[in-house]
Amino acid sequence: AQSVTQLGSHVSVSEGALVLLRCNYSSSVPPYLFWYVQYPNQGLQLLLKYTTGATLVKGINGFEAEFKKSETSFHLTKPSAHMSDAAEYFCAVSASNDMRFGAGTRLTVKP
Amino acid sequence: DGGITQSPKYLFRKEGQNVTLSCEQNLNHDAMYWYRQDPGQGLRLIYYSQIVNDFQKGDIAEGYSVSREKKESFPLTVTSAQKNPTAFYLCASSIVGTSGGADTQYFGPGTRLTVL
């Protein structure tokens, strides 16, 4: 069985600052890893995903994440936060047709 | 335009009533899912289906029922047996994963159910 832990239910950054959202996973087999974003009262939108190959994955809106097997981590980063990045972010792990989501991290961007 | 639609956007129900939430997709995906979202709890899987006329319970299936008569449609009924149905409900679809993990799930806009 797999699981996901997102460290920090709320993260606040200033506009232009680095965004770092943390995700650690547990999986007994090589996982697929995902980051989704959710704006208020909307569904989830895929930001990026890792399946195999290059461990640094680039996604939409300037986000990227690095798969680190030794640390069982898949942290999400963006060099410079924009006001429009304010949303809730979910990390997810899947193996053998079962996807598990973290509890989410709400990102606030201060002007 | 390919995508997933959910209706209605907002739904109000009196205690003791059953309600059905609609989910339709035109992505030609075999797999469909229903999740419940509560503040601070992420997404919890209610039911999923990987093929027409077949579906499996997720982690919190009690008080819910589904059907999968058509590939495009996966309606969710919230029954009166569901003790605390007020939540945001999300439908998703995907291709069926192969030897690796489950493939990307694509989400609808959600239905917010409130029990009065």
Side-chain angles (χ1 to χ4, degrees):
Chain A
Q2 58 271 13
S3 64
V4 173
T5 301
Q6 290 185 241
L7 301 175
S9 58
H10 291 88
V11 170
S12 181
V13 300
S14 297
E15 192 173 19
L18 171 72
V19 175
L20 171 61
L21 305 182
R22 299 178 187 274
C23 172
N24 287 89
Y25 70 90
S26 170
S27 177
S28 56
V29 297
Y32 288 3
L33 294 159
F34 305 79
W35 275 100
Y36 286 87
V37 61
Q38 184 182 35
Y39 298 100
N41 291 311
Q42 294 186 25
L44 276 65
Q45 178 185 0
L46 180 70
L47 274 178
L48 50 80
K49 69 177 181 182
Y50 168 80
T51 54
T52 59
T55 56
L56 182 63
V57 181
K58 294 188 184 298
I60 62 171
N61 301 338
F63 285 92
E64 62 182 35
E66 186 170 11
F67 170 58
K68 291 188 176 180
K69 185 178 178 181
S70 61
E71 299 177 8
T72 61
S73 70
F74 191 57
H75 301 330
L76 182 71
T77 61
K78 181 174 181 178
S80 176
H82 191 273
M83 297 297 290
S84 61
D85 294 327
E88 188 146 23
Y89 293 79
F90 292 92
C91 182
V93 60
S94 78
S96 59
N97 288 314
D98 183 21
M99 185 176 286
R100 297 286 163 169
F101 290 84
T105 297
R106 183 167 299 280
L107 176 67
T108 302
V109 182
K110 299 175 292 186
Chain B
D1 240 350
I4 301 178
T5 57
Q6 291 186 242
S7 62
K9 180 72 173 173
Y10 298 95
L11 186 57
F12 298 90
R13 187 193 94 175
K14 293 182 180 179
E15 282 195 32
Q17 287 182 337
N18 293 353
V19 289
T20 297
L21 283 58
S22 169
C23 177
E24 303 275 336
Q25 56 98 359
N26 61 4
L27 299 169
N28 200 33
H29 288 164
D30 286 307
M32 296 186 74
Y33 312 81
W34 274 105
Y35 292 93
R36 171 179 172 141
Q37 186 177 21
D38 297 281
Q41 295 195 44
L43 277 68
R44 292 183 290 169
L45 183 64
I46 304 173
Y47 269 97
Y48 67 100
S49 167
Q50 294 189 316
I51 195 169
V52 173
N53 292 322
D54 188 45
F55 46 84
Q56 282 75 43
K57 293 182 179 179
D59 300 319
I60 57 164
E62 185 175 351
Y64 300 97
S65 66
V66 293
S67 63
R68 188 86 187 275
E69 297 177 1
K70 299 187 300 182
K71 186 176 183 177
E72 302 78 17
S73 178
F74 192 41
L76 173 75
T77 297
V78 184
T79 75
S80 56
Q82 169 50 233
K83 296 283 186 283
N84 183 21
T86 294
F88 191 53
Y89 290 86
L90 287 161
C91 179
S93 71
S94 75
I95 64 172
V96 174
T98 54
S99 58
D103 211 318
T104 303
Q105 292 186 13
Y106 296 88
F107 285 81
T111 292
R112 187 166 296 282
L113 173 63
T114 303
V115 175
L116 304 172

